[in-house]
Amino acid sequence: MKLSALLVTAPLLVGLAACSETGGDGASAEDAGTLVVFSSRHYDSDYALYEAFEKQTGVDVRTIEADGDLLVERLKTDGARSPADVIITVDAGRLWRAEQEGLFAPLSSSALDEAVPAGLRHPEGLWYGLASRARVLVHATDRAPASQLTGYETLADPAYKGRVCARASGNIYNISLLGALIDRWGEQKAQAWATGVASNFARDPLGGDTDQIKAVKAGECDVALVNHYYFARLMKEDPSAVQGLAVFWPEEGPGIHLNVSGAGVAKHAPNPELARRFIEFAMTEQPQRFFAELTSEYPVTNVTYDNSALESLDNRKIDPIALSKLGENQAKAQEIFNKAGWP
């Protein structure tokens, strides 16, 4: 498959305060012509999407942004009083958590079913992938040449002891990857892999994916586990930041772990028809190009785009795993990480 084709308690109140609201014309969420989007994303591509939708439809888009888990808690707390029409979050693992909390309303749209590949959307229409991202290895081409790398298994190879960087195990990107590896290898081998990776860390997990790339660049480690678009962004914005580094695509076995950011209609959406129109609009050519050109994610529909950094990373073998498996394996993945001593 081609990549391009394819919150009542004091702590809770703190979490609610962490949500930020933007957009709209000051009208209440219940007014016709206002769409409320709860999103854990804060990218230029998404702001361009909201602006384009407003321009085409005349609808005001109001956004409430926060970490994905905080958004889920707020939606749960608000219940039927929630103003949310659309829920957007990153990673199929978080979409699964929202699904398990019953936060999505089923959406029937032949246009969406036709536009989004079956592997990148919920089988019953609870959410649709907006853009996709691959979990890859970034390596120093002189200290860890591609000829010495085999894939995700490289990270657990004893030859890489003291040479590996990665985010903390509680990060959803890592939890979803391990969920996929559990499905691929079984629990025993997945446990051995996580234990091996933890024993190879050059330092305790620290920061986000960009920090892992910078650590490789600085010589703190030789190989890092990251999402592809962090590297592509640096390629585009500051090529010197990735000079001497490269992406290794872990295509061994069934292929590279691919994940999505997705959107669904909120269960208590005041404007479900507007929500459907918005999600359908997000799959049209211009918004899909926004994801590729402004965020360096891969579109989920077949569109052409202008991003040389992204184009150079295309045409790879992708793991066809059903994304629902990532959520189903979350608890086991975290248990394995804890047992492995991966902080």
Side-chain angles (χ1 to χ4, degrees), residues 21-29 34-37 54 60-64:
E21 179 174 343
T22 61
D25 61 358
S28 72
T34 299
L35 181 78
V36 178
V37 178
E54 289 181 325
D60 289 324
V61 177
R62 181 183 301 174
T63 63
I64 295 179

Side-chain angles (χ1 to χ4, degrees), residues 110-127:
S110 58
L112 288 172
D113 291 345
E114 183 175 337
V116 183
L120 302 180
R121 54 182 162 89
H122 188 277
E124 298 172 5
L126 294 183
W127 54 261

